[in-house]
Amino acid sequence: MASILDEYEDSLHRSVSVQQSRASVGIPHSGYVNARLEKETPIFNKQRIDFAPPEKINSLVVSSNQLCMSLGKDTLLRIDLGKPDEPNQVELGRKDEAKVYKMFLDHTGSHLLIALNTSECLYLNRSVQKVRALSRWKGHLIESVGWNKFLGSETNTGPILVGTSQGQIYEAEISVSEGSLFSTNPDQYFRQVYTLEEESGPAPVCCLEIERGIEGKFFIIATTRKRLFQFVGKVPEGTEQQGFSSIFAVHADHLPSFREFPANLGFSEIAFYTPKLRSNPRSFAWMMGNGVLYGTLDYSRPDSILSDERVWVYPPDIDITVNKPISIVLTQFHFLLLLSDRVKAVCTLNGQVVFQDLFLEKFGLLTRMIKDPTVQQIWIHTEKVVFRYHVQRESRDVWKMYMNMNKFDLAKEYCKDRPECLDIVLAKEAEHCFQNKRYLDSAKCYALTQNYFEEIALKFIEAKQEEALMEFLIKKLNNLKPSEKTQTTLLTTWLTELYLNWLGILQGDPSQRNLYLDTREKFRTFLSSPKNKECLFNNRASIYELLASHGDTEHMVYFAVIMQDYERVVAHHCQHDEYDEALNVLSRHRDEKLFYKFSPVLIQHIPKKVVDAWISMGSRLDARNLIPALVNYSQSASTEQINEAIRYMEFCVYQLEETQQAIHNYLLSLYALCRPDSLLSYLEQAGTNPNRIHYDLKYALRLCAEHGHRRACVHIYKVMELYEEAVDLALQVDVDLAKSCADLPEDDEELRKKLWLKIARHVVQEEKDVKKAMACLSSCALLKIEDVLPFFPDFVTIDHFKEAICNSLEDYNKHIEELKREMEEATQSAKRIREDIQEMRNKYGSVEPQEKCAACDFPLLNRPFYLFLCGHMFHYDCLLQAVFPNLPAYKQAKLEDLQKKLAATSQPSKSHHRPKDADTISLGKGQQSREQIKADIDDIVAAECVYCGELMIRSIDKPFIDPQKYEEEMQSWL
């Protein structure tokens, strides 16, 4: 037994080597290759266990990887299959002729019951070595045990059910004491709860199974040779430990529900299949005289847990009178029947034998077959050999069976990871739906297959099923990859054509209105699908042609909106006089270029709404591009309509604060044409500073002159500083306006006087109003009576000028007195200046011999020097060096020029033959020139003390080190 796992690993290595050998001959790794390998690898892979028992095997049980077998008369062998090299042998310790009749192992592999043919029962726990007799069980031949999978543990079985050969069902509980090896009585209690009967009376209880449903409901299944009983009842929450007596008590006066079959094997056996991730069985198979009753377990049913029952008769080669089946095991899709010399596997889906394994005579007759529910391994033994079956990929061919049964959903479920099989199922389902005239379902399935596209399309065309064809094309289109652009284009164009044809047919039939609306919605969904967007955009010209050929302007507009081809949409609305719709499209998508293009058309019909739309766009629109539309509109429109153009221009000027000259000029033209009052207020609001005015002054002047707006012209003349023209034009309108213009040139008194003379002449000569002329004299201080007298005619009497003449004479007298006072002040100032000059000439300072230069700190008297009133003294050259860098450039140049001239005058004459008089004269002139040069140099260099004057103040922000010499200075310090 030690080599069980070793042989199991060898079988796996052999399987891997087969796959590697096939790969080495160049078979590609595809789904079809996997299908071949699956067919060649049996689902039920048998392995003989390398184990030679010293005595014959009486019985064998396996659960939770724990194997127990009875050898000979008195030996029990226990093996943990996780540690097969550590078997454990236990002696039963029986001295009589008792033999092991049956063994029962619970789901945890911890509790082993050994039924003897002497109507006794022994118990062995996995954690102990000593077998204990169950005294309360004595006198009963145990046929079956129903383990409690919900309350059982490694030391306690919880309430369990025990079936005897006399038909009694007992409830019992076995517990291992923690304080000692066993308590006095390991069997806590043993009480009868029910008796099973057939027509002839009590019958052996062949099988017992306890299952728990929902809401605390328990189901107990018990079988005899011909009957299958079900006990259903609730155990109150918290009372599960009290057992199942309450369930059986319900049926004390009447029989529970049962299934009965006439044939009889002399015994029966029931098997269950529990998926790995579930705690409750999902299906059952009951082996009885008439065959195998197979079904599923539905825990939600109120009275019976059995569901979807069917009876699979035994294969023809099984004669229950001669070669009856011995045991049954249930897997997910098969049940295995054990005969004396072979094993047959029957598919639960179709009842056909899919596997048969014949055993050699040398192994002896097959005794029993059992399954470990936790690891899904099947064990078979004879009296001297043990075999094990591994179930490998049992569902590999289930899809075929479901497909042949037309259960396509289940078939697809079991081949979803095998594309080659899934394609076969889909093709079969599509053909099945097509034959049953379920064309839409057929199209959906065909679209998922790899069948030839042309064949399927022609199939639907021949059947005149355009709707199904469209469904097929849509599904096919959705399954295409992004790289398959040609196929995408073909399908998209074809679908568009089909949709348009179908819509055209339905639109003409009022009875198909609902279908038409539904199809239209599908077509629009198709056009707006994000997946089709790129293809439709690249082929939009073809789509437009298709839509136009069908005359479907509604969907042409819809498609144009999807493609964001708003220009086409707006143009369509304009062509059909749907101006409001066109403007709505423009306002919704806010495309500036489209506004510029379609505004000339729209403003002719809905000016107010168009202007409102422009205003809502705000600064996104360039008003200059809209002026052509407004110009064309205003030339043929009424005053009321022009007001809309003015409204938008005012919005641009006052709200958006536009400064473009074209906008302001156009607003001026509109004002001049329709709103003269607003014209002048606009001009005045614009101001009089030409640099801040945004309209063209010359254009505005010409425009106002053409329309006779003289006040506006006067304002423009004032802005242009053409005051004479302003006054001349203002005199034609209003003298007061002319007066306001005459006072504008404040800095030019001569011009201002000239302008007032124009006004005076006009008043005298044109209006002949002497009093108003005299008022002009009081308005302008520059005018005198003598300036305006020439304008009056000779016959005017002096009485009109008496007051003006007297005022003029008084002014002259005051002016003469003022001039006298100024002359006296000037004489006194000149006298004081002469005294100051004389005082300065006599001023002197004393220098001590030890005085030093304030700049170089050397003795002062060694070289020419300067003495300032503040007390600072400098050598001439030191002062020049300090002052020169801070002088302006022009003074530096002048100082250099003076120094050159001074140097030239100090050079001795090279001529030795000049006359003496000439030399004297020349020397005198040179000496005067030299003194003058020195004085000029002193004015520049010694104008102020370099430490106390403005030079020191101006140099406060000057760096100590010249920036240009900073690097050089820094390097000198390193």
Side-chain angles (χ1 to χ4, degrees), residues 136 186 247 382 421 515 597 760 787 855 898 906:
R136 292 188 175 90
I247 298 176
T382 66
C421 301
L515 181 58
K597 181 172 183 178
D787 296 326
L898 291 173
S906 63

Side-chain angles (χ1 to χ4, degrees), residues 194-195 229-231 247-258:
Y194 201 79
T195 300
F229 295 88
Q230 292 185 77
F231 300 88
I247 298 176
F248 290 100
V250 176
H251 304 282
D253 299 330
H254 61 277
L255 288 175
S257 62
F258 64 90

Side-chain angles (χ1 to χ4, degrees), residues 478-497:
N478 292 336
N479 293 334
L480 290 177
K481 300 176 181 177
S483 59
E484 297 174 323
K485 297 185 181 299
T486 304
Q487 294 89 332
T488 302
T489 302
L490 172 65
L491 293 180
T492 302
T493 308
W494 193 1
L495 276 169
T496 303
E497 176 72 22

